Amino acid sequence: MGRWICCLCSRVAGLLMLLLVLALSCNPSTAATASPSVPHIKPSYSFGRTFLGLDKCNACIGTSICKKFFKEEIRFDTWLSSHLKLPPSYLLSYSGNYTDDAKSWRLVDITRLTSKYWHDRADQRICTSLLKTKTCSLEHALRRTHRFQKWLRAKRLTPDLVQGLSSPMLRCPSQRLLDRIVRRYAEVPDAGSIYMDHLTDQDKLRLLYTLSVNSHPILLQIFPDVEGWPFPRYLGSCGRLVVSASTRPLRDFFSAAPEVAADLALQLLTVLRSMGTNDLNYFFYFTHVDAGTFGVFSNGHLFIRDASTLGIIDKEEGSQLIDGQQEYKDIFSCLTVDCQSAFVSCNSIREKHSLIMVCQELLPKLLKGKFLQPVQEKIDSFLQHCADGLADDQGVNEAVAKLADLLKPLRSCDSRFAYRYPDCKYSDKY
């Protein structure tokens, strides 16, 4: 009996071994991973301080979102590739994915801190101008400047501390606007105070540097989308990379269907109108527009994608710098533009300037040849009146109003326009 049991056990063991060998031979990848001597290594990015710009801090935006980069909760769109390589560091922007729970992901834009006229030249300019060398410690050099020493001593951000900075946002500053910047600066713990007591020396340098190079991240922070402002949501910064909600640039829609083009054109005019008239009495104006200035979310809603060329005039307080004071210039004034550039007088800026630029640069590309005659002829005529209206404020406003009335019935109401669908079915507004 015992001999029979041993024989049976031997045959069962042999059969199990044969099945295991057959299974492994049918699936080589299983055989390769079955050995305990070959550990499974999760592929991941190898982030460098240089890629993120952390080697340049505290001449950078901030570090509020660095943990998500290193925990791979922010991933570039190439992260699933076989080589898992980071995209080239010389690019100005990247597409990425962002998660809060490691399960659901949403698209984001990852953008380098630059201006439209500069890409990484400021570092060399700092060293050559201040220390007469090709390379240096940027933080050490900037901390020695007269302007930053004034920032260190200041309890409150006042107009004299930002005078001469090239950012359009600060060419005509008011104390109310500067208090808003300090109170809503998202790269530090929220203190809700207009005084800079809660800002460390590092925080002050990061804020000053960001304002000097590109005010786009600051605008997203102080005028958030959740309050109805037409900007993408600011998610945070790491080094010289800023992360915000994803939009497709308007240039992607120049060949869109007529009803889509009409909808976007109307939204564009509405955004410009809200920039001139809003509850907070801030007047926003553009110093430059192009096909990447505006963007469109996946629900069809149009936003300002690039706020770096937005200027602000406080209609409630007015500018607290006279034009002569704007001429003060130092290294912070020259990081992104030629130091010889003249400032535009605050008193010369009108609401029509933004409308004229859009009528010249964007709306013709969006609406050209999209509609049947005589509608197309009327659209082209109104655009031409708007584009030529430098000397006629009333003529610009009338042309834009007539254009809007002409475009409204050309829109459609369907799921492509999720930001207003199905509301448009039950409202005369659309």
Side-chain angles (χ1 to χ4, degrees):
M1 184 70 175
R3 182 181 302 175
W4 180 82
I5 292 175
C6 289
C7 181
L8 179 61
C9 291
S10 177
R11 289 185 178 181
V12 170
L15 180 60
L16 290 175
M17 182 61 70
L18 178 61
L19 290 174
L20 178 60
V21 171
L22 289 174
L24 292 177
S25 63
C26 293
N27 190 349
S29 61
T30 306
T33 57
S35 173
S37 63
V38 182
H40 176 70
I41 300 175
K42 178 185 177 183
S44 64
Y45 286 126
S46 177
F47 276 113
R49 290 170 56 82
T50 301
F51 180 84
L52 294 170
L54 286 171
D55 60 327
K56 306 294 177 62
C57 278
N58 291 298
C60 63
I61 315 176
T63 56
S64 61
I65 210 165
C66 286
K67 286 184 179 179
K68 281 194 168 289
F69 275 107
F70 288 107
K71 291 169 65 177
E72 292 187 33
E73 292 176 347
I74 297 176
R75 296 171 172 174
F76 293 88
D77 59 1
T78 57
W79 86 276
L80 288 175
S81 69
S82 58
H83 301 295
L84 285 170
K85 290 182 179 179
L86 288 169
S89 60
Y90 59 79
L91 294 180
L92 302 184
S93 62
Y94 314 88
S95 295
N97 295 279
Y98 175 102
T99 185
D100 287 317
D101 55 14
K103 296 178 182 178
S104 58
W105 294 82
R106 50 186 164 135
L107 294 174
V108 293
D109 290 332
I110 304 170
T111 311
R112 289 200 173 276
L113 181 68
T114 62
S115 76
K116 285 185 175 296
Y117 313 102
W118 164 83
H119 178 46
D120 224 21
R121 296 180 185 173
D123 297 342
Q124 185 176 357
R125 185 173 294 177
I126 291 170
C127 295
T128 54
S129 299
L130 298 179
L131 300 181
K132 310 302 180 186
T133 61
K134 291 184 178 180
T135 59
C136 67
S137 166
L138 300 180
E139 179 176 358
H140 177 67
L142 293 175
R143 287 178 67 93
R144 294 170 56 183
T145 61
H146 176 67
R147 187 191 294 267
F148 186 64
Q149 289 302 313
K150 287 180 65 177
W151 272 62
L152 288 179
R153 296 189 297 268
K155 294 293 185 181
R156 191 176 184 182
L157 185 59
T158 52
D160 63 295
L161 295 177
V162 299
Q163 65 176 306
L165 296 184
S166 61
S167 168
M169 184 179 77
L170 298 173
R171 288 181 187 172
C172 310
S174 69
Q175 188 59 58
R176 186 168 71 115
L177 176 63
L178 298 179
D179 288 343
R180 189 177 183 88
I181 291 174
V182 173
R183 195 171 60 248
R184 295 187 168 216
Y185 183 41
E187 288 298 313
V188 298
D190 181 17
S193 172
I194 62 174
Y195 297 101
M196 296 197 291
D197 297 334
H198 62 294
L199 270 63
T200 66
D201 293 357
Q202 293 177 341
D203 297 330
K204 290 182 178 180
L205 181 56
R206 292 174 183 178
L207 177 57
L208 172 57
Y209 187 84
T210 306
L211 290 171
S212 302
V213 174
N214 190 327
S215 57
H216 172 77
I218 303 300
L219 274 160
L220 302 194
Q221 295 170 42
I222 66 176
F223 297 108
D225 67 309
V226 293
E227 295 180 2
W229 298 97
F231 302 110
R233 179 166 301 181
Y234 178 82
L235 298 173
S237 299
C238 183
R240 290 185 173 178
L241 295 182
V242 56
V243 183
S244 59
S246 176
T247 59
R248 288 177 60 191
L250 188 62
R251 69 171 65 90
D252 291 357
F253 296 87
F254 285 164
S255 59
E259 61 273 17
V260 175
D263 183 83
L264 292 176
L266 273 172
Q267 286 193 72
L268 187 51
L269 295 177
T270 301
V271 166
L272 292 182
R273 194 157 43 245
S274 70
M275 294 286 92
T277 305
N278 52 75
D279 292 341
L280 292 186
N281 271 331
Y282 287 116
F283 166 50
F284 297 77
Y285 65 94
F286 284 99
T287 58
H288 172 84
V289 296
D290 60 32
T293 301
F294 297 91
V296 183
F297 283 122
S298 58
N299 65 357
H301 207 170
L302 181 137
F303 277 61
I304 297 174
R305 190 171 190 257
D306 179 2
S308 63
T309 62
L310 265 182
I312 303 177
I313 293 178
D314 192 335
K315 295 195 293 186
E316 188 171 301
E317 287 190 4
S319 171
Q320 296 188 18
L321 281 182
I322 61 175
D323 291 336
Q325 288 178 292
Q326 291 182 333
E327 296 303 321
Y328 172 84
K329 293 178 181 178
D330 62 358
I331 185 61
F332 289 100
S333 313
C334 309
L335 292 181
T336 61
V337 296
D338 183 354
C339 287
Q340 305 305 315
S341 300
F343 288 117
V344 177
S345 170
C346 298
N347 296 326
S348 67
I349 299 168
R350 298 288 183 271
E351 182 178 350
K352 67 178 181 180
H353 288 156
S354 295
L355 287 170
I356 291 172
M357 281 191 286
V358 167
C359 288
Q360 290 174 341
E361 301 295 330
L362 299 181
L363 289 180
K365 297 174 182 176
L366 186 62
L367 300 174
K368 183 178 180 180
K370 291 289 174 68
F371 307 96
L372 298 176
Q373 300 297 355
V375 173
Q376 185 67 56
E377 184 178 355
K378 291 181 180 180
I379 290 175
D380 294 342
S381 176
F382 292 144
L383 286 178
Q384 192 62 50
H385 282 306
C386 172
D388 294 340
L390 282 173
D392 184 7
D393 290 17
Q394 188 65 27
V396 171
N397 291 329
E398 287 181 359
V400 169
K402 291 178 180 178
L403 177 62
D405 289 340
L406 192 61
L407 291 173
K408 284 179 182 178
L410 300 177
R411 298 182 299 174
S412 64
C413 180
D414 58 62
S415 58
R416 287 175 298 172
F417 311 99
Y419 79 96
R420 59 180 175 87
Y421 180 83
D423 295 349
C424 54
K425 278 189 172 183
Y426 310 104
S427 174
D428 295 335
K429 177 182 176 182
Y430 299 104

